[in-house]
Amino acid sequence: LKVQNIAKSYFSTVRFFGEKQEVKAVRNISFEVFESETLGLVGESGCGKSTLGRVIIQLEKATKGSIFYKGKEITGLKRKELRSLRKDIQLIFQDPYSSLHPRKVIGEALMEPMEVHNIGNSKKERKEKATTLLARVGLDASYFYRYPHELSGGQRQRIGIARTIAMEPKLVICDESVSALDISVQAQVLNLLNELKEDFGFTYIFISHDLAVVKYMADQLLVMNDGAIEEIGDADEIYANPVKEYTKKLIEAIPK
Ligand code: ADP
Ligand code: MG
């Protein structure tokens, strides 16, 4: 994935002296992520991480710049052309609870997106696949018939992950995927994500406001501040020798 000079602004509907106010959520960001690599995206809340994620996945249009996936420009693709990309690039949110229907069992939640993307030839096949997916994320087959409210936060995130890998994506964007979980559960889910990466050869963009979490996952680190790149490079190197004050503060904020 190649991100080239991407900027995204939001314009408020309120006018000040006849002008709409501009919020520059992302300012001129460029980077590349290579296959099977994890790029960690870190920065304080509100610095533009989620906006960048949404622009990459084409949920929102960039104000400026281009994005290339496997050498092909994806900015400006038509809706129809976006279909296969929507399968290849998946987003895992902070809390999958909001995307799970309260009155549908977990099994249905897993089978639904498979049906949409023509994965599996029959209901029976999709059901088998759903059970395999449950096992793959560490949940036994009985979870197929459970409802979202019967699950813990960590278990719900496992379901979110199972739904994502059902799509057989190539690039997975994790946006604060463990931020709502207790520390011990965070570690379990991060380890699961790393295992899946090995098994399926995923490429990750791993977004978090928490540098400790991002450092654990990332090969390459992008430190973002106020919509722009503060520092980018090898994750261990930046962590050992941060150049910018902003990065130093993020490191100091990590509890020892
Ligand atoms: P982060 O994910 O790093 O916390 P966001 O990308 O959510 O940051 O937000 C970056 C900035 O863009 C913030 O100032 C936020 O208020 C603003 N913003 C995000 N989404 C919208 C939107 N849909 N409309 C207007 N402003 C937005
Ligand atoms: Mg965010």
Side-chain angles (χ1 to χ4, degrees):
L1 183 87
K2 187 173 175 178
V3 171
Q4 210 169 53
N5 304 113
I6 284 293
K8 174 71 185 176
S9 289
Y10 294 108
F11 294 90
S12 71
T13 47
V14 186
R15 288 174 182 273
F16 291 90
F17 305 104
E19 298 217 354
K20 285 187 180 177
Q21 213 172 1
E22 182 181 6
V23 176
K24 293 184 174 178
V26 176
R27 311 160 187 254
N28 197 37
I29 294 232
S30 303
F31 64 85
E32 278 181 84
V33 197
F34 296 93
E35 198 172 353
S36 306
E37 191 185 54
T38 298
L39 173 90
L41 188 55
V42 70
E44 288 171 310
S45 175
C47 74
K49 305 180 296 295
S50 295
T51 302
L52 183 57
R54 288 196 301 270
V55 167
I56 289 171
I57 209 164
Q58 303 292 303
L59 280 176
E60 284 184 40
K61 263 193 175 323
T63 312
K64 259 188 357 210
S66 311
I67 298 168
F68 299 86
Y69 176 65
K70 290 181 176 172
K72 190 181 169 202
E73 183 162 1
I74 57 170
T75 20
L77 283 184
K78 300 265 177 335
R79 266 180 76 177
K80 227 173 157 183
E81 299 169 306
L82 277 173
R83 243 187 102 92
S84 72
L85 191 76
R86 281 277 143 78
K87 188 178 157 298
D88 259 29
I89 308 182
Q90 293 285 326
L91 189 61
I92 302 177
F93 294 99
Q94 175 164 9
D95 182 12
Y97 200 49
S98 51
S99 67
L100 293 172
H101 195 293
R103 275 191 266 284
K104 281 188 180 167
V105 295
I106 296 304
E108 281 179 83
L110 291 174
M111 288 163 68
E112 236 169 40
M114 289 187 218
E115 210 172 328
V116 172
H117 289 275
N118 295 315
I119 293 165
N121 292 315
S122 60
K123 199 166 176 188
K124 184 167 170 282
E125 234 181 271
R126 285 191 275 275
K127 194 170 174 181
E128 277 167 15
K129 187 159 172 144
T131 312
T132 312
L133 285 169
L134 283 173
R136 191 61 205 79
V137 298
L139 299 171
D140 67 59
S142 73
Y143 281 87
F144 189 98
Y145 296 104
R146 296 205 196 179
Y147 288 92
H149 74 266
E150 298 177 283
L151 273 57
S152 70
Q155 287 167 339
R156 284 200 294 263
Q157 193 51 287
R158 284 172 194 270
I159 299 302
I161 293 167
R163 284 179 98 180
T164 302
I165 58 178
M167 298 298 101
E168 298 160 5
K170 300 271 191 287
L171 175 67
V172 181
I173 301 179
C174 305
D175 189 358
E176 305 281 4
S177 301
V178 299
S179 302
L181 306 174
D182 292 341
I183 295 283
S184 63
V185 183
Q186 277 193 12
Q188 291 165 14
V189 174
L190 291 176
N191 285 332
L192 172 65
L193 286 169
N194 267 332
E195 277 170 39
L196 295 170
K197 178 188 156 68
E198 293 300 316
D199 292 355
F200 295 93
F202 291 149
T203 305
Y204 281 145
I205 293 180
F206 198 92
I207 300 174
S208 177
H209 68 281
D210 186 343
L211 181 57
V213 167
V214 175
K215 188 202 170 272
Y216 184 68
M217 300 297 285
D219 305 306
Q220 199 187 165
L221 189 66
L222 195 170
V223 182
M224 217 173 146
N225 180 15
D226 193 19
I229 295 179
E230 190 75 33
E231 209 165 334
I232 185 168
D234 179 86
D236 292 332
E237 221 158 273
I238 288 184
Y239 192 77
N241 300 302
V243 175
K244 296 294 188 69
E245 276 311 311
Y246 183 81
T247 314
K248 285 178 192 167
K249 276 192 195 136
L250 289 180
I251 293 171
E252 280 162 17
I254 298 174
K256 288 288 177 303

